Amino acid sequence: MIMARLASSTFMRRITSLCLPLALVVGLGLTTTACPRAEAATLVGESVGYAAERGFFKEALAYGEKALARGTLTKGGEYAGSEAGLYGGTLKTSSCDIRRLISFLKDPANHKKAAAWAKVLGQDPGGIENFLLHEVTSVLLGNDTLVRNHGYDQGNAQATPYDSVLEAGTAVLVDIHGVPAVKCNCGNPLTLAKTAVDANIDINFKGKKWAFEKKRMTKVKKSGKPRKTLVLANVEAPGGAIERPVGANGAAKDQSTRFPGALTVPDLVGQREDEARARLKELGLKAVSKPAPGSGQEQGTVTATRPSANSTVRPGSTVTLEVVGSASTTPTGAAGSSNPGTPPSDTFSPPTSGPPLCSTPPGTTCAHETSPGARTPAPHRTSPKTPVPDPGSGAATGPAGLESS
């Protein structure tokens, strides 16, 4: 009898631990046990150029932001702000008009907004100008990015926090640890999101809905030490990189560089498709094929590659093989690839048309705000070619003790 009871007790514990629907008949009663369902966190999904009525800044600080067709990183997750290629940029071009934000926050008429803005970022209101000149850098988000956003409550003169996902391509200012600090098109302060990057989430899209993929969403944490420079993906040169010094005038000092561990595309023209794919896999690259005209060459011969031979690409990038007589195929994944069937694209698409827009917490009504004299975004530029000058004397220099990347 005792052994039977012990066996029964053990059986029940095992069944309960499986957390599956269970119906137990006890006498004439019926008891049902089921797993509790984890509630999804609802985040605001803000497309490139989205605006509403509760932004800190009433005029866009950035024009012609580029929306990335795919992320600059091959997969999502949590990254340190020092990660090479976490953000994108255009050589010698700033995405944000930092001087306009400084002027706005220093205006006595906006002192309440300036105080609320500074409080979110842990800054003294009197030190806003120094912070914006020397401790933030203009970049484009490389992937859809999870942040803690802050609208402005006019009635209570304070910031209203909410977690949101900013679409890849959104222009932001990042601090000396590489963490998003300001959303450029409305001046909203940004901090680390409360929501975990792997949490169960629902997206309440604002502006234009985009093809959001949770597995590609990133969340940025502080780098181990403050940075002197950031390595950005060059949006105008697929596979290329930019080393940008920290500070408002950083874009003016951009230097072309290579990503750590960057690879060179081999010359595969004239090889058989299977040989070319094997070679790319050995290098840690992915391959996808597309048909090419025959022009008298043997079926299955590679006639060209994109990117072309001797181009510099990041590990895990995709190389398109143009093959005689080949039908378009899905990629062959590189060794260790986490997602071999869906490669990231190295190209960027133009932004959504419309006026520069901003962001708002859930439950508020979107109001398009067009400032007097606002410019129409150029289709293929992140901002005017003129780099952001330093309002102070000489070039901006970062705080002492910054770590070189």
Side-chain angles (χ1 to χ4, degrees), residues 41-46 146-150 160-165 191-196 219 360-362:
T42 300
L43 307 178
V44 179
E46 303 179 11
L146 178 60
V147 298
R148 185 76 161 170
N149 207 330
H150 299 79
T160 54
Y162 61 101
D163 281 2
S164 65
V165 178
T191 56
L192 187 67
K194 301 294 184 183
T195 307
K219 182 178 180 180
T360 185

Side-chain angles (χ1 to χ4, degrees), residues 278-291:
R279 177 63 178 141
L280 292 174
K281 186 174 183 180
E282 287 176 2
L283 293 173
L285 299 173
K286 302 173 188 175
V288 62
S289 299
K290 63 173 292 185

Side-chain angles (χ1 to χ4, degrees), residues 67-393:
L68 291 149
R70 292 274 187 174
T72 57
L73 299 177
T74 57
K75 62 180 180 178
E78 191 169 275
Y79 292 88
S82 56
E83 179 77 20
L86 179 62
Y87 303 114
T90 303
L91 193 64
K92 302 293 184 183
T93 306
S94 174
S95 304
C96 266
D97 191 341
I98 297 176
R99 296 181 66 194
R100 292 182 65 211
L101 180 58
I102 292 173
S103 296
F104 178 85
L105 294 173
K106 288 182 64 178
D107 188 333
N110 299 318
H111 72 281
K112 289 184 178 180
K113 277 190 175 182
W117 188 93
K119 183 178 180 180
V120 171
L121 296 174
Q123 299 294 319
D124 184 286
I128 287 176
E129 182 172 5
N130 182 70
F131 172 70
L132 289 175
L133 284 178
H134 304 306
E135 298 186 31
V136 298
T137 309
S138 177
V139 300
L140 299 174
L141 294 179
N143 287 52
D144 297 339
T145 304
L146 178 60
V147 298
R148 185 76 161 170
N149 207 330
H150 299 79
Y152 182 69
D153 184 344
Q154 187 75 39
N156 296 315
Q158 64 184 16
T160 54
Y162 61 101
D163 281 2
S164 65
V165 178
L166 306 183
E167 184 185 11
T170 299
V172 298
L173 300 176
V174 298
D175 66 17
I176 55 176
H177 289 280
V179 177
V182 182
K183 189 168 185 280
C184 289
N185 64 358
C186 58
N188 281 5
L190 307 172
T191 56
L192 187 67
K194 301 294 184 183
T195 307
V197 71
D198 58 353
N200 183 22
I201 64 172
D202 287 331
I203 302 292
N204 180 19
F205 288 97
K206 298 292 184 179
K208 184 178 180 180
K209 184 175 181 180
W210 74 92
F212 172 75
E213 294 182 79
K214 184 175 181 295
K215 64 186 177 182
R216 300 185 68 82
M217 180 178 71
T218 63
K219 182 178 180 180
V220 186
K221 60 183 180 181
K222 291 174 62 175
S223 60
K225 294 181 180 180
R227 310 300 299 172
K228 275 189 175 181
T229 60
L230 296 170
V231 177
L232 316 178
N234 189 338
V235 304
E236 294 186 330
I242 298 169
E243 185 175 44
R244 176 166 295 177
V246 167
N249 206 37
K253 305 173 186 178
D254 281 347
Q255 297 292 326
S256 294
T257 188
R258 290 168 61 96
F259 282 112
L263 302 171
T264 300
V265 177
D267 186 357
L268 302 173
V269 174
Q271 293 190 18
R272 299 285 303 170
E273 180 183 5
D274 56 350
E275 295 172 347
R277 283 177 169 266
R279 177 63 178 141
L280 292 174
K281 186 174 183 180
E282 287 176 2
L283 293 173
L285 299 173
K286 302 173 188 175
V288 62
S289 299
K290 63 173 292 185
S295 63
Q297 297 190 49
E298 184 181 353
Q299 296 289 301
T301 301
V302 176
T303 61
T305 63
R306 288 187 295 118
S308 59
N310 299 316
S311 297
T312 299
V313 296
R314 300 186 67 188
S317 297
T318 299
V319 176
T320 300
L321 304 173
E322 296 186 13
V323 182
V324 176
S326 173
S328 295
T329 63
T330 54
T332 296
S337 172
S338 60
N339 187 22
T342 311
S345 168
D346 289 322
T347 60
F348 290 72
S349 62
T352 305
S353 60
L357 304 175
C358 192
S359 54
T360 185
T364 57
T365 303
C366 179
H368 294 282
E369 300 170 344
T370 305
S371 58
R375 294 171 291 174
T376 301
H380 296 293
R381 301 301 308 166
T382 55
S383 70
K385 257 298 183 185
T386 304
V388 176
D390 187 340
S393 57

